[in-house]
Amino acid sequence: MPRASLLVIDDEPNILTTVKRALELEGFAVEVAGSAAAGLTKLAEHDIDLVLLDVMMPGETGLEVLPRLRAAHPDVSVVMMSGNATIETAVQATRLGAKDFIEKPLSGDKLLLTVQNILELARLSREHERLRAKARAEFAMVGRSAAMRAIFDKVGKTAPSQGRVLITGENGTGKELVARAIHDHSRRADGPFIKLNCAAIPAELIESELFGHEKGAFTGAVQQRRGKFELADGGTLFLDEVGDMNPSAQAKVLRVLQEGELERVGGSETLKVDVRVIAATNKDLQAEIAAGRFREDLYYRLAVVPIELPPLRGRREDIPALVEHFLGQVCADNDRKAKRVAAGAMTLLMQHDWPGNVRELKNVVERLVILTGDAEVISESDVADALPRVKPVKGGFARGTPFKDLVAAAERDIILAALEANDHHVSNTARELQLERSHLYKKMRALGIDHRADEAD
Ligand SMILES: Nc1ncnc2c1ncn2[C@@H]1O[C@H](COP(=O)(O)OP(=O)(O)OP(=O)(O)O)[C@@H](O)[C@H]1O
Ligand SMILES: [Mg+2]
């Protein structure tokens, strides 16, 4: 860490010398000034982190200069020092933005402790601001196509209401991002945003996930646990992949939505909750209803405001802005210099079909940043190499190989290519191949294909 720079402003020369010496011994860089005016000059000349400012000085006093100092250097922390401090001066100094107040005669230990604490506070608040900015950038939605502008408009109108929202769209089109945007712009923004992926949870556990359970409700329920509905009280519950919820959980969710109350699994107490539900699915719920797999009454409860996200290939004019957005984000995250995309490279990116939509685009940009190393420009051939191509199945006949081995080799090729195209997301791969996920897993095991454990969320 670079050493912190301090500035001491005091009219007493011996205070300046002793404080300077004491703090320099602790490794700080220390400037001194004998008056408020000299202090302002030093501040303009040096990069100062913290000012120790005397209250009583001939000419302009510390309290008088404080507002100007704060206005000109809002990032500099100020600690006041005074020999005859009254509570009122301390209160006034705090109101004017001083971070702390120490009394004279100064004790070396107290001075050092105060300086260290205030510097740490400033560091934490910078870190906090950085993380907030990062979170804002991560959840920012990019898009200027007419289709996306219509989505933003709908989000803006829906967010402040209490209306339930059903978000549909292919994988990676930004359903979760829309759910978060609605929450963030709602009156519940300060409340929790709780997400439940209905597809990732075994049927027998989903009720306990949603409603919680009492100790001993079933084998393995060693202690009482609150469910997602309870955790989301006062906020938003995001039911992701809602089309994969089992019928008995559907019935119970319907009841919570109708009555706003629930019981934990194995419990008798009825709990009231105030939760706004936002649901998302990439399934065609009308078809699920027709097939008897999804309750129609639940559908109408959830889809008060339906929002359908268009696939990326249907709004290719968004691609350049998305590429720039992810490029900035990935370069910053990896401490890389900003990169540029050559015109031909952008054309290729715009022509690609993006079956994995925005998520796939984001992954490709990340891959490009990593693979192009220090190069400043991402070229057409970089893009051609980075785009996942579904490999054609080779004719694959080899003399003397039994038919079943040839078929297995072809299956392996297909599954590897499909996994690659789906960024190794097994559920999504299964969906694209129209296989049961468990069946795909079985095949992968049989064919010796590893899968990365990125299914958790
Ligand atoms: N319009 C957009 N602007 C910026 N980033 C986006 C946009 N749409 C999606 N993303 C990013 O793409 C990724 C996928 O988005 P998200 O998780 O919201 O998609 P999804 O529709 O929920 O996908 P899935 O159905 O696979 O769960 C995320 O990293 C998200 O930040
Ligand atoms: Mg999602």
Side-chain angles (χ1 to χ4, degrees):
M1 212 176 78
R3 64 186 182 150
S5 304
L6 314 182
L7 168 65
V8 193
I9 307 177
D10 199 308
D11 58 310
E12 281 177 66
N14 60 333
I15 295 249
L16 293 181
T17 355
T18 44
V19 172
K20 181 173 164 71
R21 193 180 313 132
L23 290 172
E24 275 177 351
L25 278 176
E26 296 296 335
F28 296 107
V30 185
E31 295 292 329
V32 295
S35 68
L40 286 175
T41 311
K42 288 269 181 189
L43 270 167
E45 288 166 354
H46 298 267
D47 196 3
I48 300 289
D49 299 300
L50 185 150
V51 174
L52 290 161
L53 178 60
D54 188 25
V55 174
M56 303 291 275
M57 286 187 291
E60 204 169 6
T61 71
L63 280 181
E64 281 162 0
V65 77
L66 183 56
R68 258 196 306 143
L69 193 162
R70 296 271 309 140
H73 307 276
D75 295 333
V76 176
S77 306
V78 179
V79 173
M80 305 300 292
M81 312 182 283
S82 174
N84 40 15
T86 62
I87 301 256
E88 289 86 90
T89 15
V91 169
Q92 199 189 346
T94 316
R95 234 182 246 138
L96 292 173
K99 287 284 181 325
D100 207 345
F101 203 98
I102 44 182
E103 276 177 71
K104 289 178 176 176
L106 298 170
S107 119
D109 288 348
K110 169 82 172 110
L111 177 67
L112 181 62
L113 197 68
T114 306
V115 164
Q116 282 169 338
N117 284 344
I118 299 300
L119 287 173
E120 177 64 5
L121 205 66
R123 191 188 65 77
L124 288 175
S125 111
R126 276 195 307 274
E127 176 69 7
H128 180 74
E129 198 31 61
R130 192 184 65 80
L131 290 173
R132 279 178 62 113
K134 192 164 174 236
R136 267 198 301 275
E138 257 160 39
F139 296 137
M141 286 202 85
V142 175
R144 41 182 92 139
S145 59
M148 283 314 283
R149 283 206 309 270
I151 299 273
F152 296 150
D153 185 53
K154 220 166 179 182
V155 167
K157 285 189 179 128
T158 313
S161 77
Q162 299 283 20
R164 293 189 198 114
V165 182
L166 177 68
I167 309 165
T168 52
E170 292 180 10
N171 291 318
T173 44
K175 297 187 291 297
E176 182 166 349
L177 220 50
V178 166
R180 284 187 192 273
I182 293 173
H183 173 77
D184 288 344
H185 292 95
S186 75
R187 271 174 274 144
R188 299 166 174 267
D190 289 331
F193 177 88
I194 302 285
K195 167 181 166 182
L196 178 71
N197 184 339
C198 304
I201 294 170
E204 64 277 14
L205 285 184
I206 191 150
E207 284 168 37
S208 148
E209 280 291 327
L210 283 167
F211 311 117
H213 60 246
E214 296 295 340
K215 182 175 168 173
F218 47 86
T219 335
V222 287
Q223 60 182 36
Q224 185 196 62
R225 199 169 153 223
R226 293 194 297 162
K228 302 279 187 190
F229 264 105
E230 258 182 88
L231 293 172
D233 197 15
T236 303
L237 175 61
F238 177 45
L239 294 177
D240 203 3
E241 316 269 7
V242 76
D244 294 87
M245 194 184 278
N246 73 39
S248 114
Q250 287 178 31
K252 297 200 170 158
V253 168
L254 182 66
R255 178 176 158 223
V256 186
L257 298 188
Q258 279 167 342
E259 288 155 32
E261 32 181 69
L262 59 92
E263 280 103 40
R264 298 201 187 104
V265 177
S268 48
E269 189 192 352
T270 300
L271 306 165
K272 281 231 165 274
V273 287
D274 165 30
V275 171
R276 179 188 200 177
V277 171
I278 301 180
T281 182
N282 48 21
K283 284 200 169 156
D284 175 356
L285 284 187
Q286 296 297 351
E288 294 297 301
I289 292 170
R293 285 190 293 262
F294 201 82
R295 295 182 67 118
E296 193 168 16
D297 45 6
L298 178 57
Y299 173 82
Y300 286 113
R301 288 276 168 184
L302 290 175
V304 177
V305 182
I307 295 185
E308 176 160 10
L309 283 172
L312 188 54
R313 63 184 170 283
R315 48 182 171 104
R316 292 177 197 270
E317 64 267 47
D318 284 340
I319 292 175
L322 283 165
V323 169
E324 294 302 336
H325 173 71
F326 294 135
L327 205 55
Q329 211 170 303
V330 176
C331 287
D333 277 356
N334 291 282
D335 283 324
R336 303 250 179 158
K337 272 212 309 266
K339 286 176 190 272
R340 207 154 54 68
V341 178
M346 192 63 92
T347 308
L348 272 190
L349 289 167
M350 289 180 74
Q351 283 166 349
H352 187 63
D353 253 349
W354 303 110
N357 293 295
V358 186
R359 176 176 297 110
E360 186 190 4
L361 176 65
K362 186 176 179 181
N363 288 338
V364 166
V365 170
E366 190 163 2
R367 195 176 312 153
L368 283 167
V369 168
I370 293 168
L371 295 180
T372 50
D374 288 335
E376 217 173 280
V377 180
I378 294 175
S379 71
E380 197 171 329
S381 68
D382 292 331
V383 171
D385 291 342
L387 283 181
R389 260 168 304 205
V390 180
K391 294 175 219 140
V393 182
K394 285 167 236 113
F397 168 65
R399 308 224 47 172
T401 315
F403 180 67
K404 73 169 175 41
D405 292 348
L406 294 174
V407 171
E411 281 185 334
R412 211 183 127 85
D413 274 356
I414 293 169
I415 292 174
L416 284 174
L419 280 167
E420 165 88 24
N422 283 284
D423 195 42
H424 299 269
H425 193 293
V426 180
S427 303
N428 294 350
T429 309
R431 222 169 271 139
E432 186 168 6
L433 295 174
Q434 297 181 27
L435 286 176
E436 286 293 323
R437 191 170 65 145
S438 55
H439 183 66
L440 176 60
Y441 267 120
K442 221 181 287 164
K443 275 271 171 222
M444 286 165 61
R445 254 198 310 277
L447 297 166
I449 300 172
D450 260 6
H451 77 91
R452 296 188 215 146
D454 53 5
E455 289 274 83
D457 68 339

